[in-house]
Amino acid sequence: MYREWATGVAGAVGWSRVVKEPQTHRILPDGCLDLIWSDGRLLVAGPDTVAMEMRSPAGRVYAGLRFRPGTGPSVFGVPASELRDSRVGLDEIWPRRVVRELTERVGEAPDKVGGLLAIARPRIRVDPVMDAVVAGMREGRPVAAVAGGVGLSERQLLRKSLHAFGYGPKTLARVLRMEKALALAARGVPPATVAASVGYADQAHLSREVKALAGVPLTRM
C-alpha cells in the first residue's frame, strides 16, 4: 500500500509504502530526489531520466521524503547530476559516522517520515529561480523564453538545471509534460485529447514519449 501527504515543510512531500506481497514497482521520472528509510538504511534516490523498476520482498516497509524539483541538492549538498539515475546509501554522500547516528535515530522513531523531516528541515532551501523554471517548463514555454524570464542565458540555465534537476531543461520539460499527460489519462481523458491538451504534436507523439520515458505503452499505465 502506497500513500503520500503534504508535510508542511516547503518543497517536501512525505510518503510511505508497505509491501504485503513480493512486487515490482515502476518508478516514473518526476524531476525529484528522495530521502528514503528502508530495512534499516537511509537511501537517496536520484532524479531519473527513464522509469526504474524496483523489486521488493514481502514485508518491506519504506518511508520517504520527496523533494520537489530543484530542492533536493540543498538537502544532500551535491549536484543532482551526480545522483542521476541512481540509488545510493546516504553514507556514500555524507560521513558514515553521521549517517549511522541518523539511521539509528530514524529507526527508533515511531514516525519514520517525521525522523526524515528532522534531517531535512534545517538543510532544505527553496530556490525561487528554479521554481520559476519548473513553472515555465510545466506551461510548455520554450527554453529560451524560460531562461530570459529568470534573467539567464540558455547556457546558464543548462548549467543551473544540471545542478538543480540532474538534467537539462528540455529533459525536465519532457518529464513534466508526461506527468501532466498521465494525470489526465488516469482521469479517463481520451489519448487524443490528452495529446492536444499538454502540447504533443499528436497521439502518436504522446505514445512515443510515454514509451520512451515510462518504458511501457500508455495503455499499460
Side-chain angles (χ1 to χ4, degrees):
M1 179 180 67
Y2 175 85
R3 66 186 187 96
E4 63 179 51
W5 61 92
T7 62
V9 175
V13 171
W15 61 269
S16 66
R17 186 188 297 274
V18 178
V19 181
K20 294 185 177 180
E21 298 179 355
Q23 61 182 248
T24 299
H25 325 289
R26 182 175 297 275
I27 312 299
L28 300 180
D30 58 8
C32 301
L33 281 73
D34 291 60
L35 175 61
I36 303 168
W37 181 91
S38 181
D39 199 28
R41 294 187 67 202
L42 287 174
L43 308 168
V44 179
D48 297 324
T49 55
V50 295
M52 304 283 283
E53 288 193 346
M54 179 182 300
R55 182 72 176 169
S56 295
R60 179 65 53 85
V61 176
Y62 298 90
L65 284 180
R66 178 171 299 112
F67 303 107
R68 77 173 182 238
T71 58
S74 67
V75 176
F76 300 117
V78 298
S81 56
E82 293 187 11
L83 300 169
R84 184 173 55 232
D85 293 324
S86 67
R87 306 290 186 270
V88 301
L90 185 60
D91 56 6
E92 295 182 45
I93 304 173
W94 293 358
R96 291 185 176 180
R97 178 185 58 79
V98 172
V99 174
R100 185 164 54 249
E101 293 174 357
L102 293 174
T103 303
E104 291 176 359
R105 195 178 306 166
V106 175
E108 293 171 357
D111 175 6
K112 300 292 188 291
V113 172
L116 296 176
L117 274 172
I119 297 172
R121 185 181 284 110
R123 297 173 170 84
I124 192 168
R125 299 291 182 272
V126 175
D127 184 341
V129 172
M130 292 297 100
D131 273 359
V133 170
V134 172
M137 293 294 99
R138 279 205 171 104
E139 293 168 3
R141 297 173 61 199
V143 172
V146 172
V150 295
L152 299 173
S153 69
E154 289 188 58
R155 181 172 294 182
Q156 288 172 323
L157 177 58
L158 174 60
R159 184 169 64 250
K160 287 182 175 293
S161 294
L162 289 171
H163 182 280
F165 312 124
Y167 31 69
K170 290 183 179 179
T171 298
L172 177 66
R174 291 178 65 206
V175 167
L176 296 177
R177 183 170 58 179
M178 183 187 71
E179 196 174 61
K180 288 174 63 177
L182 294 180
L184 288 174
R187 284 158 41 191
V189 178
T193 305
V194 171
S197 300
V198 301
Y200 291 102
D202 51 29
Q203 186 175 334
H205 183 203
L206 164 64
S207 297
R208 289 195 302 273
E209 280 289 277
V210 171
K211 181 68 182 297
L213 293 171
V216 293
L218 180 62
T219 52
R220 288 183 53 192
M221 296 300 298

